[in-house]
Amino acid sequence: MKALAYALGRGLKDILYVETALAPALQSLAEAAAHKELRGALERHAAETVQQAKIVKDILRSVGMKAETGQSAALEGLLADCRRSAAEAEASARDAIIVVGAQTIKHYEIARYGALREWAKTLGYDEAHMLLTTILDEERAANLKLNNLAINSLNPTAI
Ligand code: FE
């Protein structure tokens, strides 16, 4: 149990880094987007991300840990890929490229939160499990929204 508790603490701190660094990054992706609905969706996700960072801090405290920020080379790499491919894209395809970049990050968050909430459950941290499930559901909903936007609006106009 001690090993899993340590993994949970480290994982929560690392996802706190992700949410903290992602909020301004989503905002700048929103500014780079041309499609009005995409811009609005990314701005809403940026605001949601700020709230998620606050909740992760609460979760860390609820499991008896300090609300400290870890690190994520993965997020930095995913953001770098997203920015580079958006910069290289032809104008008509840029929004479609931005969307897949944002979705790739959402998938990363979904994978991390999926594990963290199960670890919290195994350790008997019921409140942490519940809050992490709420965030996981938000990440899934955000991904689905971006997916629908890509399929219905952005991909058809990227050609
Ligand atoms: Fe998030």
Side-chain angles (χ1 to χ4, degrees), residues 7-74:
L8 176 65
R10 285 298 294 261
L12 286 170
K13 288 174 185 182
D14 290 348
I15 205 75
L16 178 58
Y17 174 86
V18 169
E19 300 295 10
T20 305
L22 186 55
L26 283 173
Q27 190 58 48
S28 55
L29 283 179
E31 283 156 26
H35 193 275
K36 212 177 138 197
E37 254 184 273
L38 175 60
R39 199 179 302 169
L42 291 171
E43 280 171 353
R44 277 193 300 281
H45 294 325
E48 192 172 66
T49 299
V50 171
Q51 292 309 312
Q52 289 172 346
K54 285 184 188 158
I55 297 167
V56 173
K57 283 183 189 171
D58 289 342
I59 295 169
L60 270 162
R61 291 188 201 102
S62 83
V63 300
M65 307 236 177
K66 281 189 193 162
E68 291 169 341
T69 304
Q71 54 194 334
S72 175

